[in-house]
Amino acid sequence: MKSTEFKDLILFITGPTYIRPEIRKAGTYCEFGHRDKVAKVKIESILTNLRKLAGVSEDYEVCLISGSGTFAMEASIRSLAKDDENILNVSVGAFGDLYNKIAVANKRNVDLLKFKPGKAIDLDVLEEKLKSKKYDVVTFTHNETSTGVTNDMVEVCKLIQKYGAMTLVDGVSIFGGVKVPFEEAKPSIYVTSTQKCLGLPAGFGIIFVHKDALEKAKTVENRGYVTDLVSIAASAQKSQTVTTPNCTLINQMEEQLKYIVEEEGIENRFKRHEEMQKMVADWLENSLSDDFKFFSQEGYRSAVVSAIEIPKYVDRMAIKESMRERGYLFDPGYGGLNKKLEESGENLNIRIGHMGDITPEMLTKYLEELEIEIKKFKP
Ligand SMILES: *Cc1c(COP(=O)(O)O)cnc(C)c1O
């Protein structure tokens, strides 16, 4: 029996993302024993290249956790916040809220500071909050996927650190697309995953944890078993994972990271994402009417995902189906956010994921076809 077959589509959503044919093929390579020497060679290569892509010093441990980005976020909360410590979750959208849900599910003293969707973290407001109470641990989202906002990671980290708290950063949707400023921001932990800007299937959370944070983890009780950063890092040092990894994904990841580091080049990869952000901005400016605009605040627009406010006369769900006919998976906006916008009578969003291995050539063609579908709707 074959699995249900669907048409092959190019994904312009925000994860899972488009996977290059070479990496799809790498998904057919032989499985291996995860305690065999083959695993060691492959995982060592993966961790070394992740380190290069991140540009982190020896101050950080690089680890893999089976699961996805959310697992890595949960591991960070379980392992770095003590039960009686104060946690602040700073949210500019659905994924900031997700870190809060994880904290609430695991710890007692949790506060949430929320900013209006489309806005970045306002440093003055954050500082007031940090002054109001002694927080031990603060989380925030580097790139808010639901609204296309990239926070100023360096300034936010510095501010939090000024008040003596640890910084837990969710970089799930941006790592591999832009340079992450580890040196300047010095986050306690930065977590990401495979299925967004790395152009791989889902299956691992990726963790960059600072050695000081790891020292603290050793003193935290109730770290869980699979969420225990101490054992996750100990396994990583042996080029292993705590539990059986997805060997298919290891094969793909080894090849993809070699491609990024040795073939495409890290700087070129970052430049490509910047270029695609500008392409979307130009398209909005020059090809569409003033009824279409960025949902995200100017100055904080993401290089990897654009959220665009569309007028009410455009039926985004109809466009999703017509784009499917054209061979694409279109993103009609973040569901939860659009629901709220709809309830308050505001215009809805669509999103364009230009992350991972999407090229400017692919994006040009996509925008041309999307424009045709959009222009079928008249005010
Ligand atoms: C996708 C996403 C997550 C969730 O990651 P999973 O790998 O699906 O668990 C968390 N944070 C952000 C910013 C995301 O974009």
Side-chain angles (χ1 to χ4, degrees):
M1 280 282 278
K2 282 180 107 183
S3 66
T4 318
E5 273 192 62
F6 286 103
K7 191 168 156 181
D8 228 272
L9 298 177
I10 299 179
L11 277 64
F12 271 85
I13 60 172
T14 61
T17 45
Y18 159 76
I19 293 172
R20 293 184 301 118
E22 293 83 352
I23 300 304
R24 285 172 71 161
K25 183 159 168 282
T28 65
Y29 297 170
C30 188
E31 291 282 304
F32 52 87
H34 67 294
R35 302 297 183 222
D36 185 36
K37 65 181 180 187
V38 171
K40 189 170 160 52
V41 171
K42 287 175 179 284
I43 296 178
E44 205 164 80
S45 162
I46 287 170
L47 297 179
T48 303
N49 283 329
L50 281 173
R51 196 176 268 291
K52 285 183 188 161
L53 184 53
V56 284
S57 68
E58 294 296 320
D59 289 344
Y60 284 89
E61 287 291 346
V62 186
C63 325
L64 296 181
I65 179 171
S66 286
S68 68
T70 311
F71 277 75
M73 290 160 78
E74 185 145 33
S76 74
I77 293 284
R78 287 296 299 254
S79 298
L80 298 179
K82 296 184 183 178
D83 285 340
D84 58 350
E85 285 186 332
N86 292 326
I87 301 174
L88 175 65
N89 303 118
V90 184
S91 172
V92 299
F95 291 100
D97 292 353
L98 173 65
Y99 231 148
N100 177 249
K101 286 178 194 159
I102 294 168
V104 167
N106 285 287
K107 304 287 168 176
R108 285 196 296 269
N109 311 321
V110 184
D111 291 341
L112 173 62
L113 174 64
K114 264 171 98 83
F115 292 91
K116 196 169 175 283
K119 299 286 184 211
I121 295 171
D122 181 322
L123 294 172
D124 294 332
V125 175
L126 174 57
E127 183 151 26
E128 282 311 305
K129 190 76 185 169
L130 292 168
K131 276 180 184 162
S132 73
K133 186 169 174 179
K134 172 82 181 90
Y135 288 105
D136 303 287
V137 171
V138 181
T139 75
F140 72 94
T141 319
H142 186 188
N143 184 71
E144 178 50 64
T145 322
S146 65
T147 60
V149 167
T150 303
N151 283 306
D152 186 338
M153 183 174 149
V154 175
E155 292 307 319
V156 175
C157 279
K158 280 185 176 165
L159 183 59
I160 295 165
Q161 287 153 359
K162 182 175 146 191
Y163 287 86
M166 296 180 94
T167 44
L168 278 50
V169 187
D170 166 7
V172 171
S173 61
I174 197 166
F175 181 81
V178 308
K179 177 161 176 55
V180 178
F182 277 96
E183 278 305 303
E184 305 93 303
K186 293 192 174 49
S188 299
I189 190 169
Y190 187 94
V191 301
T192 187
S193 71
T194 48
Q195 81 279 16
K196 298 196 177 168
C197 288
L198 289 173
L200 287 161
F204 286 118
I206 300 165
I207 296 173
F208 300 91
V209 57
H210 195 278
K211 291 216 163 99
D212 294 346
L214 215 43
E215 279 308 306
K216 178 183 175 182
K218 291 177 186 163
T219 70
V220 175
E221 286 173 15
N222 303 319
R223 300 191 296 269
Y225 184 76
V226 290
T227 50
D228 177 7
L229 275 179
V230 179
S231 64
I232 291 168
S235 290
Q237 282 192 330
K238 294 183 281 178
S239 297
Q240 289 189 352
T241 49
V242 174
T243 58
T244 315
N246 176 340
C247 296
T248 301
L249 179 54
I250 292 272
N251 284 329
Q252 293 174 303
M253 200 173 179
E254 183 193 11
E255 187 156 323
Q256 174 70 343
L257 287 165
K258 277 187 179 156
Y259 163 79
I260 292 172
V261 172
E262 295 166 18
E263 227 169 293
E264 181 179 24
I266 296 170
E267 289 307 318
N268 291 337
R269 191 173 181 84
F270 297 161
K271 267 193 226 129
R272 178 164 57 77
H273 285 89
E274 287 297 331
E275 186 187 334
M276 291 194 291
Q277 200 281 327
K278 286 196 192 80
M279 285 171 65
V280 174
D282 287 347
W283 179 68
L284 271 184
E285 173 87 23
N286 302 320
S287 303
L288 296 180
S289 77
D290 293 345
D291 292 344
F292 297 80
K293 40 186 171 284
F294 275 114
F295 182 71
S296 45
Q297 184 179 347
E298 199 177 348
Y300 297 90
R301 285 176 191 147
S302 172
V304 300
V305 48
S306 296
I308 298 165
E309 192 184 317
I310 58 163
K312 293 196 174 63
Y313 58 81
V314 172
D315 181 349
R316 71 205 159 89
M317 297 317 278
I319 289 178
K320 183 173 181 189
E321 293 316 312
S322 51
M323 289 304 281
R324 192 194 304 276
E325 289 303 308
R326 289 174 178 273
Y328 295 109
L329 188 58
F330 165 85
D331 189 326
Y334 190 80
L337 174 61
N338 272 339
K339 191 160 170 277
K340 280 191 197 123
L341 291 170
E342 193 159 32
E343 280 162 10
S344 56
E346 290 172 74
N347 286 346
L348 306 188
N349 281 335
I350 60 168
R351 285 182 301 179
I352 300 171
H354 32 87
M355 50 176 66
D357 288 330
I358 297 282
T359 63
E361 293 70 34
M362 289 161 78
L363 182 61
T364 301
K365 196 155 172 294
Y366 181 73
L367 293 178
E368 276 169 16
E369 299 202 39
L370 179 57
E371 191 177 326
I372 294 170
E373 293 305 327
I374 284 178
K375 288 186 171 166
K376 287 182 179 165
F377 295 91
K378 300 275 181 283

